[in-house]
Amino acid sequence: MYSEQEWDGLMATLLVECRELHQALEAGLLELERRPQDAEALNGIFRAVHTIKGSAGLFDLERMVRFAHGMESVLVVLRDGGLVPQPELLALLLAASDALGLMIHRIIGEQAVLTPEEEIQAENIERWLGEQLGRNPLVLPQPPSAAVEREEPAKMDCWHISLRFGSETFRHGFDPLAILAYLQTLGRLVNVNCLTEHIPALTALDPESCHWSFELGLHTDVPRSRLVEAVEFVRDDCKVVILPPDSQLPAYVEFIRSMPDEEWRLGEILVASGVITEEELQQALREQQSNSEDYRPLGELVQQQTGVAPGLVDAALNKQTQAREALVRDGKSVRVQADKLDRLIDLVGELVIAGANAAVVAERSGNTDMLEAAARIAELVEAIRDDALRLRMVEIGEVFNRFPRIVRDVSRELGKDIELVISGGETELDKTMVEKIGDPLTHLIRNAIDHGIEAVPARLDQQKPARGTVRLDARHEGGAIVIDVSDDGGGLRTADILDKARSRGLVPANAVMSEAEIHQLIFEPGFSTAAQVTNLSGRGVGMDVVKRSIEALRGSVEIISRQGAGCTFRIRLPLTLAIIDGFLVAVGQAQFVIPLDQVRECLELPAGWQRSGYLDLRQETLPLIDLHELFAIEGQSRRHSVVVVQAGNNKAGLVVDSLLGEQQTVIKPLGRLFRSLDVISGSTILGSGDVALILDVAALVNTAARLEGAAVI
Amino acid sequence: MSELEPTVVAFSGELTIHTLTEQRARMLEAGAAVDLIFDLSGITELDGAGLQLLVAAKRQRLAAGQSLRLTGHSRRIREAMERCGLAGFFGDPQIITAAECE
């Protein structure tokens, strides 16, 4: 059998796959809650549970198999229409999904290990699922009645099945002929159309690739689940659409629309099968064509004709596009163990330093050939650096994925109606950051739901829509990633914040502060203005931890709030933690590196000008920070330069002796002894072998801002 | 000019995923023959990949404005084509023997 190591490896793979499936399961359930008619979501849910059950079975995880089977039984009935996707049922399924997720999480050795309480909960859920099946499974929901009375055309009692086999069908060992033969055992095939136009001519054909496509009718009285089973095992290789006999016009139009290149052909086939009439088809498609000037989306058209809610078609199209894109993406990626990647990055870091060293030596030698060679190496090293760092990039959507569930749960708990809108999920950031940004984001989102968005009556009073919106957006800007958490709630209550701060002794009673400064107070430890401390947030341990977590990632957080309209927390994070482009400066004998993406400009300090205080920079007052003074470095140079840096919205001018140019910097963290130095974020080894300290621009700039504020008071 | 004899290409053995290369080559042998007939009576087995070859061959001929006729269908081949809705596509008269009609 397997060695222990092999077994662990297999288990690891199982866990990863099960977690992904569970995520898909939860996403599908949430989708179904929003749109109970979404058949695609329902199928996805079923497949996820079915696959989890199968995989768990391979590893003899009995408890999981039993539980998954219980879920599957209910899902089958739901899928066949024997149960209605009511909110209570979906809530039960979500609870079941949670329990399943817990089991996946707890797979240790060869069992899913639950605590006694969790086991009791799981058993309860199983019992409730079982009770669902006790209901009369033969009661089918009535199809929505058409708003327009139309005489029932004589329809054949016929299922319409569309099969589009994928190119790998033969290679995966399947034969479309055999599948058709099997379908024939389930009923009577009628009006079989083979779309031969999809098969290339003989000389162009790759014989091993499958191009079969069929549109056919099937007279049968077997339940839909039997039909689905018939094609289930080839599902990955074949696009299947099954339209039951009592489908209504919108379903067929939707189906036709789903294959835009074949509208007329499909329409013809369906009419020939008798499932829609020629008139219905012509009307729907012609209306589409003739209104091309004032183009009306199909959803509107469908609604107008039959009173069915629009958005079904768009949803179907979107789903297809998404699914296709996901397939394309999956096919082109490779799983890599994280530690292998880390080792590679370390080596690249060493390579950068070694390359810099070689450049210095080459320069000293003055040998032109050597200089050229060193320059070429530097170019390549930079390219490898960029590519290697990009390997560590992960889509932030991975983190964003957990929030729909949180928003749903929390807003229900508080009795508010809140929608989460996510954009920019494909924005990439360093993988270590993805893990660490999750908690701060969670807290900000909870905050927005809890304190930001008002209860429904209050919102309606202000002429706001009853449903509040929380927006999560990520994008790249310059050399940073920007994440916005916005809400359209009441915004920060500036006056309340100031009162609270005063009563907590955080600011002197007669302090005069700008609105922005007051907003920043919420990041002070021990601060909370929540009228009631709910059990979610507002215990006062939250916001300061959020800020510190973000700053630990060398990022910054900005507050943009408008009273009555809403609030946005804007998080800025550098794109990577490991290697940055730096700007080298000299102060006395010491050298410092300033992150290049925070450098705005450099200028010479006018002769005679004070090294500390302020500089008038094109009408702007720039606070100066004298690094000599700050670091107590001796040495008098006659001329000085100013490096203008910016962090968030604040600028400052760093006064240094000389500018030494751009420098690739591999960040080496400081030892624990030096962590409390907030203006230094790390160190690096220069090509010359000297050590340079890396300045934390945000900390420096904030120091300047604070001093400035103090001076005003 | 006398009428040209049709070119008959006879197939034998399996027409399945296992024999695609040879069978395809055989189909292409006839090249640009004006009147082409594939004799399928020697075929022992047919699967989806093999049938796809026949469809592709017909498509090729149709595109060039030429004809392709299939003869010698066994009952199984006939059934397969019917099941796939291809009888009309190939358009060949299919001879059903009295024996098969039982």
Side-chain angles (χ1 to χ4, degrees):
Chain A
M1 283 313 287
Y2 292 107
S3 73
E4 195 174 306
Q5 208 180 19
E6 287 169 328
W7 186 257
D8 285 345
L10 289 171
M11 266 302 207
T13 311
L14 171 76
L15 285 178
V16 169
E17 286 181 4
C18 278
R19 282 199 198 115
E20 285 180 2
L21 286 165
H22 179 252
Q23 213 170 56
L25 168 61
E26 192 178 82
L29 284 169
L30 290 175
E31 188 62 35
L32 202 60
E33 242 185 3
R34 282 180 50 209
R35 264 200 309 251
Q37 331 94 302
D38 191 345
E40 193 60 45
L42 193 43
N43 277 323
I45 291 166
F46 178 83
R47 277 205 304 280
V49 173
H50 185 75
T51 313
I52 290 177
K53 185 179 99 170
S55 304
L58 285 176
F59 286 83
D60 278 334
L61 295 164
E62 282 181 49
R63 186 73 190 90
M64 259 180 76
V65 173
R66 238 187 319 131
F67 193 86
H69 184 76
M71 281 184 77
E72 202 184 28
S73 308
V74 171
L75 287 171
V76 164
V77 181
L78 183 60
R79 197 182 60 180
D80 290 344
L83 280 173
V84 178
Q86 291 165 333
E88 300 82 27
L89 177 59
L90 291 173
L92 173 60
L93 285 171
L94 265 171
S97 163
D98 285 343
L100 192 61
L102 192 60
M103 285 182 200
I104 293 171
H105 196 65
R106 297 288 182 79
I107 295 174
I108 302 168
E110 296 182 21
Q111 279 311 313
V113 179
L114 298 179
T115 68
E117 300 84 50
E118 289 163 348
E119 180 58 45
I120 292 175
Q121 171 73 339
E123 283 171 17
N124 282 338
I125 293 175
E126 277 177 319
R127 200 180 52 245
W128 293 326
L129 286 173
E131 283 169 9
Q132 295 299 315
L133 295 175
R135 306 228 181 102
N136 188 347
L138 298 176
V139 176
L140 293 169
Q142 289 300 317
S145 55
V148 175
E149 278 294 309
R150 51 190 183 91
E151 47 176 359
E152 288 292 312
K155 281 195 279 198
M156 289 205 316
D157 183 24
C158 193
W159 293 71
H160 182 84
I161 302 177
S162 166
L163 300 168
R164 302 299 162 105
F165 289 93
S167 60
E168 302 303 298
T169 305
F170 298 149
R171 283 183 261 253
H172 291 167
F174 298 117
D175 184 0
L177 290 194
I179 291 164
L180 284 181
Y182 180 66
L183 282 177
Q184 203 161 37
T185 66
L186 298 178
R188 187 160 55 91
L189 287 176
V190 294
N191 194 27
V192 178
N193 291 272
C194 173
L195 302 172
T196 53
E197 59 268 27
H198 289 179
I199 298 177
L202 191 59
T203 43
L205 172 75
D206 167 19
E208 287 182 4
S209 290
C210 175
H211 301 274
W212 287 112
S213 301
F214 296 98
E215 301 288 330
L216 53 96
L218 182 68
H219 260 302
T220 180
D221 48 19
V222 304
R224 187 172 184 275
S225 50
R226 282 285 302 278
L227 287 180
V228 171
E229 256 173 34
V231 291
E232 189 70 53
F233 59 97
V234 79
R235 190 136 193 147
D236 291 330
D237 284 302
C238 181
K239 183 163 165 287
V240 180
V241 178
I242 299 179
L243 294 164
D246 58 356
S247 294
Q248 304 219 316
L249 176 64
Y252 291 110
V253 179
E254 178 183 329
F255 167 55
I256 294 172
R257 281 287 155 195
S258 71
M259 311 222 212
D261 297 331
E262 303 174 354
E263 280 165 11
W264 290 106
R265 182 83 152 95
L266 289 179
E268 277 170 26
I269 293 171
L270 290 175
V271 166
S273 292
V275 291
I276 63 177
T277 67
E278 181 71 30
E279 293 78 41
E280 285 171 333
L281 172 67
Q282 292 301 339
Q283 195 183 5
L285 294 182
R286 211 187 310 123
E287 278 204 40
Q288 183 73 49
Q289 304 282 56
S290 70
N291 288 343
S292 54
E293 253 144 39
D294 57 332
Y295 176 71
R296 279 188 301 158
L298 185 64
E300 218 182 280
L301 212 61
V302 166
Q303 179 178 32
Q304 191 195 42
Q305 286 191 334
T306 61
V308 170
L312 247 184
V313 177
D314 291 326
L317 287 178
N318 277 338
K319 277 288 153 61
Q320 286 199 352
T321 318
Q322 275 173 19
R324 240 175 278 137
E325 280 171 5
L327 263 162
V328 166
R329 262 206 316 266
D330 285 337
K332 290 189 183 151
S333 65
V334 175
R335 279 201 213 282
V336 175
Q337 284 172 313
D339 57 352
K340 283 188 186 166
L341 204 50
D342 287 338
R343 275 204 298 278
L344 181 66
I345 302 289
D346 276 345
L347 279 175
V348 171
E350 297 297 325
L351 184 59
V352 166
I353 296 177
N357 196 24
V360 166
V361 170
E363 185 128 354
R364 278 200 213 122
S365 77
N367 181 328
T368 26
D369 286 341
M370 183 102 77
L371 277 167
E372 242 182 75
R376 178 77 183 124
I377 290 181
E379 245 178 75
L380 289 171
V381 166
E382 189 164 328
I384 292 184
R385 178 203 82 165
D386 286 343
D387 281 352
L389 289 178
R390 232 173 276 132
L391 288 179
R392 284 164 56 112
M393 303 288 260
V394 154
E395 288 188 3
I396 198 171
E398 272 187 30
V399 174
F400 285 1
N401 277 343
R402 66 174 96 149
F403 293 129
R405 183 64 195 280
I406 292 177
V407 169
R408 173 199 175 273
D409 289 347
V410 171
S411 48
R412 259 159 219 240
E413 216 170 302
L414 297 176
K416 296 184 184 174
D417 183 8
I418 299 180
E419 186 182 357
L420 176 67
V421 175
I422 295 180
S423 54
E426 65 285 348
T427 310
E428 293 183 330
L429 71 169
D430 192 275
K431 73 171 176 45
T432 47
M433 272 199 256
V434 161
E435 296 145 22
K436 296 185 183 154
I437 199 65
D439 285 344
L441 283 179
T442 306
H443 192 90
L444 286 175
I445 288 179
R446 289 195 132 129
N447 219 51
I449 298 173
D450 201 8
H451 304 313
I453 299 199
E454 318 91 322
V456 173
R459 285 183 69 86
L460 292 173
D461 267 351
Q462 297 171 63
Q463 265 89 45
K464 284 185 178 177
R467 172 169 291 183
T469 306
V470 173
R471 239 173 259 279
L472 196 55
D473 174 68
R475 59 191 181 277
H476 286 302
E477 238 177 50
I481 178 171
V482 178
I483 305 171
D484 282 346
V485 181
S486 327
D487 64 73
D488 62 352
L492 295 186
R493 294 181 293 270
T494 314
D496 289 355
I497 295 174
L498 189 54
D499 284 342
K500 207 75 172 189
R502 285 197 182 122
S503 75
R504 296 270 160 101
L506 293 169
V507 291
N510 56 351
V512 168
M513 301 176 76
S514 70
E515 196 179 49
E517 288 166 330
I518 296 176
H519 288 164
Q520 285 291 322
L521 289 172
I522 67 175
F523 290 126
E524 295 295 317
F527 188 90
S528 163
T529 58
Q532 309 152 274
V533 174
T534 62
N535 68 346
L536 303 168
S537 55
R539 254 193 233 109
V541 296
M543 288 311 252
D544 65 321
V545 173
V546 167
K547 184 160 187 232
R548 261 189 284 130
S549 309
I550 293 173
E551 286 175 347
L553 295 171
R554 286 176 50 237
S556 64
V557 54
E558 194 187 323
I559 301 175
I560 303 159
S561 168
R562 262 178 30 239
Q563 202 137 4
C567 181
T568 299
F569 284 88
R570 180 159 294 166
I571 301 174
R572 277 200 177 80
L573 296 172
L575 272 179
T576 179
L577 297 176
I579 303 180
I580 58 165
D581 288 318
F583 190 69
L584 194 60
V585 298
V587 181
Q589 295 286 54
Q591 295 178 80
F592 294 93
V593 170
I594 306 170
L596 194 59
D597 61 1
Q598 289 168 310
V599 172
R600 289 288 160 268
E601 58 183 295
C602 304
L603 41 115
E604 206 173 302
L605 188 66
W609 198 270
Q610 280 272 30
R611 288 211 312 250
S612 54
Y614 297 89
L615 189 65
D616 180 359
L617 184 69
R618 298 184 298 270
Q619 282 13 74
E620 213 184 310
T621 309
L622 188 72
L624 291 178
I625 301 176
D626 182 9
L627 293 186
H628 269 285
E629 200 181 305
L630 186 63
F631 296 117
I633 297 174
E634 293 192 349
Q636 279 304 329
S637 165
R638 290 261 208 82
R639 293 160 64 194
H640 299 281
S641 297
V642 178
V643 180
V644 181
V645 293
Q646 177 169 8
N649 279 338
N650 297 317
K651 283 193 186 158
L654 306 178
V655 180
V656 302
D657 289 352
S658 47
L659 310 173
L660 300 177
E662 288 179 30
Q663 171 95 21
Q664 269 190 53
T665 310
V666 180
I667 302 180
K668 300 261 176 229
L670 287 172
R672 234 180 313 196
L673 208 54
F674 302 106
R675 286 273 171 81
S676 57
L677 287 174
D678 64 347
V679 291
I680 305 285
S681 66
S683 64
T684 185
I685 301 176
L686 302 173
S688 58
D690 295 331
V691 172
L693 294 178
I694 302 172
L695 296 177
D696 185 332
V697 172
L700 279 171
V701 162
N702 288 336
T703 312
R706 264 206 301 274
L707 291 172
E708 182 187 358
V712 169
I713 296 171
Chain B
M1 279 274 233
S2 61
E3 247 182 53
L4 288 165
E5 284 281 308
T7 315
V8 178
V9 181
F11 291 85
S12 60
E14 287 185 14
L15 181 50
T16 67
I17 187 125
H18 305 295
T19 57
L20 289 178
T21 321
E22 314 87 271
Q23 299 292 25
R24 180 163 174 260
R26 189 130 178 78
M27 288 180 191
L28 289 170
E29 263 169 28
V34 168
D35 187 9
L36 185 57
I37 298 180
F38 285 173
D39 181 355
L40 307 176
S41 48
I43 290 183
T44 55
E45 199 175 314
L46 177 72
D47 75 354
L51 188 53
Q52 181 173 259
L53 278 188
L54 287 173
V55 173
K58 179 82 176 182
R59 292 259 292 147
Q60 175 120 354
R61 297 287 294 181
L62 285 173
Q66 294 168 316
S67 76
L68 169 65
R69 289 181 282 155
L70 306 178
T71 64
H73 313 66
S74 68
R75 188 173 62 146
R76 281 179 57 187
I77 294 181
R78 214 182 320 120
E79 280 173 1
M81 289 188 180
E82 262 178 44
R83 198 179 302 130
C84 293
L86 286 171
F89 173 74
F90 286 112
D92 304 300
Q94 314 216 354
I95 300 171
I96 304 170
T97 67
E100 290 171 21
C101 277
E102 284 147 32

